[in-house]
Amino acid sequence: MASLKSLLSGFLLLAGCAQALKFDLEATSSHHSNQRRCIRNFVNKDTLVVVTATLDGYKGDGMNVNMHISDSHGNEYGKAKDIAGEQRIVFTSHHDAAFDVCFENYLTGSKYVENPRRHVELDIDIGADAKDWSAIQATEKLKPLETDLRRIEELVGEVVSEMDYLRAREQKLRDTNESTNNRVKWFGMATTFLLIALWGWQIMYLRAYFRSKHLI
């Protein structure tokens, strides 16, 4: 039993070893889309996502930081304006698609800012990692080992779903490639036959021309 617990703990440690992304967000004097700082991630359909951003500074320090989350299909999952401290947005994805977490930082008012930047720590939890397993354990009255097994089961299920998605995408690309190859093949054959027909017509035309001139 002890070895099983150690194995489960090691697996969960490896599964959740990703650290938060840390970066500095420079402040600008105006709003421009090209001055946004965006982080992209991929998520499967109907998957729980928890985005947690922790920023230093405070409201009214001369900088205004906004956060915006949207996916490649145009779905918007959350907007937060003038954030400081910890900001959390929870959503469930609508498509198998990439989503962007974007930040913008701009100066406000006439207050002088000595160091016009905010430090950001961004943590994105997807699927099983986004669930509150302590609450699930308390609600369903699970033992710690049962909770770990449930979490591992969901993590493995996500890996299998990801593999199925990649396999289906690979099959789609293979079908597209084969269809393109067939079209190129038939286009090449049609071009060859057209050139042969044109060559034959040119010979017949020149022969008729020379005969009309009594050259042959």
Side-chain angles (χ1 to χ4, degrees), residues 121-142:
E121 293 187 10
L122 179 64
D123 191 9
I124 301 176
D125 295 317
I126 299 175
D129 290 332
K131 294 185 177 181
D132 187 350
W133 289 101
S134 297
I136 294 175
Q137 180 180 352
T139 302
E140 301 185 15
K141 298 180 179 180
L142 299 175

Side-chain angles (χ1 to χ4, degrees), residues 6-26:
S6 300
L7 180 62
L8 293 178
S9 299
F11 183 87
L12 293 175
L13 180 62
L14 290 175
C17 64
Q19 297 182 352
L21 178 64
K22 301 178 182 181
F23 57 92
D24 289 329
L25 190 64
E26 297 285 345

Side-chain angles (χ1 to χ4, degrees), residues 167-177:
R167 189 180 298 109
R169 187 175 179 84
E170 180 185 5
Q171 182 64 41
K172 183 178 180 180
L173 292 174
R174 186 184 299 113
D175 293 342
T176 302
N177 187 38

Side-chain angles (χ1 to χ4, degrees), residues 41-45 71-73 77 93 95-99 165:
N41 211 326
F42 182 85
V43 66
N44 291 323
K45 183 180 180 181
D71 65 14
S72 57
H73 289 267
Y77 294 114
S93 57
H95 299 278
D96 294 329
F99 68 93
Y165 171 80

Side-chain angles (χ1 to χ4, degrees), residues 3 18 40-42 60 92-93 96 118 125 136 146 159 171 174 180-181 185 205 213:
S3 60
R40 175 164 293 183
N41 211 326
F42 182 85
T92 300
S93 57
D96 294 329
R118 289 276 190 89
D125 295 317
I136 294 175
E146 293 175 332
V159 173
Q171 182 64 41
R174 186 184 299 113
T180 302
N181 288 338
K185 180 182 69 175
Y205 174 81
K213 299 296 183 178

Side-chain angles (χ1 to χ4, degrees), residues 101-149:
V101 182
C102 296
F103 297 88
E104 60 177 0
N105 183 12
Y106 60 93
L107 299 171
T108 59
S110 58
K111 181 178 179 180
Y112 172 73
V113 180
E114 181 178 358
N115 188 18
R117 63 171 55 88
R118 289 276 190 89
H119 182 72
V120 181
E121 293 187 10
L122 179 64
D123 191 9
I124 301 176
D125 295 317
I126 299 175
D129 290 332
K131 294 185 177 181
D132 187 350
W133 289 101
S134 297
I136 294 175
Q137 180 180 352
T139 302
E140 301 185 15
K141 298 180 179 180
L142 299 175
K143 297 179 180 179
L145 184 60
E146 293 175 332
T147 305
D148 292 341
L149 288 172

